[in-house]
Amino acid sequence: MLTVTKIPNHVAIKIALELKKLLVDNSLLDVSQSDLEANLFKLMEKRGYGEDYINRYKMMTRFHHQRVPLVILVCGTACTGKSTIATQLAQRLNLPNVLQTDMVYELLRTSTDAPLTSVPVWARDFNSPEELITEFCRECRVVRKGLAGDLKKAMKDGKPIIIEGIHLDPSIYLMDEEKREDNSRLEKTVPDSENPGSSVERKTEHQSRNGLTENRISPTKEDGYFVKSKECTLEEGVSESHETSTHDSAHSQEKNPKDESDGHKDLGQPKNNTAKKDKPAAEPIVVPIVLKMSDFDHKALLEEWIATRAFRDNCLPQDHRKLINNLKLIQDYLCSFESQGLTIVDISANSFPQTLDWLHSYLLQCIERGLLAACNQGGN
């Protein structure tokens, strides 16, 4: 919890050990949460981590107690640092659940009737860029259904989750997809639903209602951020979809139940379950991020990566230029959502630590805004 507030890891360890020693020396073996935090805050201030850090600690404690659902999407093509960014953010923010779309893709491809092939979409031949993007979007929707179990559990339990991988289409916005499918089923009974352009119009109206604003960032910027609050409520996200998935929260089942609140579990939780059901469901905080790298650096990394993978995977064609071009088309498609307010993060080896720090602060701001919205919703 101390590293979440942006206290450096080595300092956080020292503060935690000092707190432990203080409690043991004073025989405070049974201490309340408020007393524990009071002693902790004194130690934080003693080391120069004052009001800002204490407020962040309190904010994250409320976030875990109130179980506001949080979904962080780390999008991008190969070799843009998705896995590294997701892992580092999970460690910094104390978020135990990280899902990889590559694993979901392979699981669906080998164990279900889902129309997925062993050859990745960027390694196939297409007649046009539009055909490539259409197939990419189709595969993203298949993977989205494979993530249904994990996302439902995250919504129901209020557990934060990070999803990273190439098969993340920002237009789906994950949490809206099931609702959109259910709406399409209901609209089949409406006469004007026969109009083939109606779904496109509804999608455009939905995007305009969100009031998305453009937000291009670099590691040096500290202003502005994008949080996508979903129209669907917690109940809708859990109960509206009745589809089952073969990938039913495989990762979540392996986790210790004690991890659910990251050490801040409400002792009265079992007694208040019935009361919690009566409360209005908190809207999930969904933070989509697209990682991008300069063309020169990205091409160099891709060539090395493709050469390594081609040696292991005989299904890849020898024309590496075509593979790189296909990946470039997918990257351009992902970045095209910048005009709708999606955050594009420029990744560079020279400024990677600064980028990670910026993302840490950015996500804390997103959580704070989402928590405020949840509090306002509860108050209303």
Side-chain angles (χ1 to χ4, degrees), residues 49-105:
Y49 298 96
E51 185 177 359
D52 290 343
Y53 294 88
I54 292 173
N55 288 337
R56 287 186 201 127
Y57 188 99
K58 292 178 178 178
M59 184 265 292
M60 289 304 297
T61 301
R62 291 197 306 273
F63 169 71
H64 287 300
H65 275 172
Q66 296 184 21
R67 296 180 177 273
V68 179
L70 170 67
V71 180
I72 301 171
L73 310 176
V74 184
C75 316
T77 59
C79 298
T80 53
K82 299 182 301 298
S83 298
T84 304
I85 288 287
T87 302
Q88 291 289 328
L89 289 176
Q91 291 176 354
R92 284 180 172 231
L93 295 168
N94 195 24
L95 306 180
N97 298 318
V98 180
L99 294 181
Q100 297 176 324
T101 61
D102 288 348
M103 296 179 64
V104 178
Y105 183 97

Side-chain angles (χ1 to χ4, degrees), residues 26 66 72 86 111 136 208 210 242 288 302 339 342:
N26 290 277
Q66 296 184 21
I72 301 171
S111 62
F136 169 72
S208 64
N210 288 331
H242 302 283
L302 283 175
S339 61
L342 197 68

Side-chain angles (χ1 to χ4, degrees), residues 19-160:
L19 177 62
K20 179 179 179 181
K21 185 177 185 301
L22 176 67
L23 297 176
V24 172
D25 290 348
N26 290 277
S27 298
L28 297 174
L29 305 181
D30 187 9
V31 61
S32 67
Q33 182 75 16
S34 59
D35 290 340
L36 181 76
E37 291 181 354
N39 286 295
L40 173 62
F41 297 156
K42 289 178 182 177
L43 293 175
M44 290 170 61
E45 289 178 328
K46 182 180 176 181
R47 286 187 169 269
Y49 298 96
E51 185 177 359
D52 290 343
Y53 294 88
I54 292 173
N55 288 337
R56 287 186 201 127
Y57 188 99
K58 292 178 178 178
M59 184 265 292
M60 289 304 297
T61 301
R62 291 197 306 273
F63 169 71
H64 287 300
H65 275 172
Q66 296 184 21
R67 296 180 177 273
V68 179
L70 170 67
V71 180
I72 301 171
L73 310 176
V74 184
C75 316
T77 59
C79 298
T80 53
K82 299 182 301 298
S83 298
T84 304
I85 288 287
T87 302
Q88 291 289 328
L89 289 176
Q91 291 176 354
R92 284 180 172 231
L93 295 168
N94 195 24
L95 306 180
N97 298 318
V98 180
L99 294 181
Q100 297 176 324
T101 61
D102 288 348
M103 296 179 64
V104 178
Y105 183 97
E106 285 301 311
L107 183 64
L108 291 174
R109 185 181 67 82
T110 56
S111 62
T112 71
D113 296 330
L116 299 173
T117 67
S118 58
V119 181
V121 62
W122 42 265
R124 295 180 227 155
D125 291 321
F126 294 96
N127 295 325
S128 66
E130 291 76 15
E131 187 178 335
L132 166 64
I133 299 304
T134 299
E135 175 63 13
F136 169 72
C137 293
R138 185 193 68 81
E139 289 191 354
C140 286
R141 288 192 292 272
V142 173
V143 170
R144 165 66 184 87
K145 291 181 179 179
L147 290 167
D150 294 279
L151 288 168
K152 285 180 184 178
K153 185 171 180 62
M155 293 299 100
K156 181 179 179 181
D157 298 343
K159 292 177 64 175

Side-chain angles (χ1 to χ4, degrees), residues 74-82 85 216-217 219 289-295 297-298 328 331-332 334-336 338 343-349 355:
V74 184
C75 316
T77 59
C79 298
T80 53
K82 299 182 301 298
I85 288 287
R216 176 60 175 259
I217 68 99
I289 300 166
V290 175
L291 304 185
K292 184 182 179 183
M293 193 175 289
S294 68
D295 292 341
D297 291 341
H298 196 201
K328 181 70 166 57
Q331 183 73 69
D332 291 343
L334 295 174
C335 292
S336 68
E338 179 182 4
T343 300
I344 311 295
V345 182
D346 292 311
I347 300 295
S348 170
T355 303

